[in-house]
Amino acid sequence: MVLMLVKFDLKKRVKLAQTVWFMYWFAVMAGVLVFSMGLFFKIELRKRSELMDNNESHFLPNLLILMGLITCGINAFGGKICYDSLDPNKFVKWKSMLKSFLVLCVVFNGLLLLTALMCFLMRIPLQFTLAEGLKNGMRYYKDTDTPGRCYMKRTLDLTQMEFRCCGNDNYRDWFEIQWVSNRYLDFGAKEVKDSPRPCIQNQMTNNTAHYSYDHYTEELNVWKHGCRDAMLSYYGGMMNTIGALVLLVTILEVAVTIGLQYVNSSLSTLANPEDPESESEGWILEKTVKETFTDIMATMKSMGKGTKVEEGGEAAVATVS
């Protein structure tokens, strides 16, 4: 039983091909957008790569860049096929490869959907990456003379100012580490000896200990929430937006794939192939979903049996030899 059968005449086929062609080029622009968002996300991550524990955080933007490029390529090719479908003589050269191309499109649509889901789920590993990266960044904050760590102080300072945050979990994290370089400390002084982790923390939350002071005021240069949550909120919001975008692109890709299938089936079932104005029928699947799935599984099984037979034949030849 044919799934979603539609009857076509020449006018309908032309209109279908033109519509799908337009949708394909719209999908090309969507691919450019996915590529651009992936590139922007990668740049934003690289700005603060010193505060991240590993390079795995760049997997998602790299994947988005790749998927954006593939989206542009596949849709440009599909648009060319739809354009040539307006001329039966030009369309003939695509017939032999169109079924394989449609299968490729279905697989690609699945990968796009997986990419969209990853955008929503990567927030969890990013949380651990930021937590460990910020912890290390604070530990190396004072090492301004150490190669490879020279810019850690500047990066962390800019991050805290930009995100209006302090420390990893909160500002008290700074109380647990030495954040002043040794060259600025007099280790012969009693105060330094008694405080191996120097930090301006004495009575910082006591308003009565200072003149005209309120540690709750917004002007205080100690933000009350940690940088991990602030950065996670920023990057998480960005990933959610990109994930929603990729999801919309996936829906568009499914639509153009269905449109191309209708173009292919409507041109393959012309009542009179020599008469372009003759009527035809188009469909999404020639059989039901269940029957199609059964046929695919049967084909895969037969291919597996064929491989076993070939291996058995080769073994027998080797034994005779």
Side-chain angles (χ1 to χ4, degrees):
M1 182 180 176
V2 176
L3 182 64
M4 298 185 69
L5 180 67
V6 178
K7 294 187 179 296
F8 290 91
D9 55 19
L10 178 60
K11 186 178 179 180
K12 277 188 175 182
R13 283 195 299 272
V14 171
K15 189 174 181 180
L16 172 67
Q18 290 174 339
T19 302
V20 178
W21 175 83
F22 175 78
M23 290 174 65
Y24 261 121
W25 287 107
F26 187 74
V28 169
M29 291 187 287
V32 173
L33 184 59
V34 171
F35 171 83
S36 302
M37 291 297 286
L39 189 61
F40 173 74
F41 189 27
K42 186 176 182 65
I43 292 171
E44 285 297 300
L45 287 174
R46 191 166 289 279
K47 282 181 184 178
R48 304 168 189 91
S49 59
E50 293 173 305
L51 302 179
M52 297 188 183
D53 183 42
N54 52 51
N55 295 321
E56 294 175 5
S57 55
H58 291 277
F59 171 75
L60 183 58
N62 290 339
L63 179 62
L64 288 167
I65 291 171
L66 177 63
M67 296 303 283
L69 290 173
I70 296 175
T71 300
C72 292
I74 285 182
N75 288 299
F77 187 74
K80 172 63 175 174
I81 293 175
C82 284
Y83 180 80
D84 287 348
S85 69
L86 297 171
D87 184 350
N89 294 325
K90 290 183 178 179
F91 185 71
V92 171
K93 63 182 179 182
W94 303 115
K95 275 190 174 182
S96 59
M97 61 178 299
L98 198 50
K99 185 175 287 187
S100 299
F101 178 70
L102 285 166
V103 172
L104 175 64
C105 289
V106 172
V107 173
F108 177 69
N109 293 344
L111 292 176
L112 264 181
L113 180 60
L114 185 62
T115 302
L117 293 176
M118 288 184 65
C119 289
F120 296 114
L121 296 176
M122 284 297 287
R123 183 187 180 97
I124 299 172
L126 182 62
Q127 181 176 0
F128 294 103
T129 296
L130 286 171
E132 193 63 28
L134 284 165
K135 182 180 178 181
N136 291 332
M138 292 173 65
R139 184 188 306 161
Y140 304 138
Y141 183 86
K142 68 181 188 302
D143 300 336
T144 52
D145 297 329
T146 306
R149 301 175 186 171
C150 304
Y151 301 102
M152 183 62 74
K153 180 182 185 302
R154 180 177 181 274
T155 301
L156 197 48
D157 284 343
L158 289 175
T159 299
Q160 291 185 128
M161 287 187 284
E162 181 180 352
F163 289 94
R164 300 168 73 91
C165 60
C166 192
N168 191 341
D169 293 320
N170 54 60
Y171 66 88
R172 294 182 181 276
D173 294 333
W174 288 109
F175 300 167
E176 301 173 4
I177 65 170
Q178 177 185 329
W179 57 273
V180 180
S181 177
N182 290 341
R183 62 177 173 168
Y184 299 119
L185 298 175
D186 179 10
F187 285 93
K190 182 178 183 303
E191 292 80 2
V192 175
K193 288 181 180 179
D194 294 342
S195 178
R197 295 185 292 273
C199 182
I200 303 172
Q201 58 178 303
N202 294 329
Q203 309 212 29
M204 189 174 68
T205 59
N206 183 3
N207 291 335
T208 61
H210 309 276
Y211 174 75
S212 185
Y213 177 78
D214 181 7
H215 77 277
Y216 286 110
T217 184
E218 291 186 1
E219 286 76 20
L220 185 64
N221 193 22
V222 179
W223 306 110
K224 297 174 183 63
H225 63 289
C227 290
R228 181 185 61 185
D229 290 339
M231 294 176 70
L232 185 64
S233 177
Y234 173 71
Y235 286 119
M238 189 183 299
M239 288 190 293
N240 288 341
T241 301
I242 296 174
L245 170 68
V246 176
L247 200 57
L248 290 175
V249 174
T250 304
I251 294 172
L252 178 60
E253 287 295 327
V254 171
V256 293
T257 302
I258 291 173
L260 184 60
Q261 170 59 14
Y262 271 118
V263 170
N264 177 40
S265 55
S266 64
L267 288 174
S268 301
T269 59
L270 285 169
N272 183 4
E274 296 180 0
D275 180 15
E277 296 188 6
S278 61
E279 293 186 350
S280 62
E281 295 179 340
W283 54 73
I284 295 179
L285 292 175
E286 195 169 0
K287 299 179 181 179
T288 62
V289 175
K290 183 179 179 180
E291 291 172 341
T292 303
F293 180 76
T294 302
D295 289 346
I296 292 173
M297 294 302 295
T299 303
M300 292 177 65
K301 286 181 180 179
S302 63
M303 290 175 63
K305 288 180 179 179
T307 304
K308 289 180 180 180
V309 169
E310 289 179 2
E311 290 177 351
E314 290 176 359
V317 171
T319 303
V320 171
S321 299

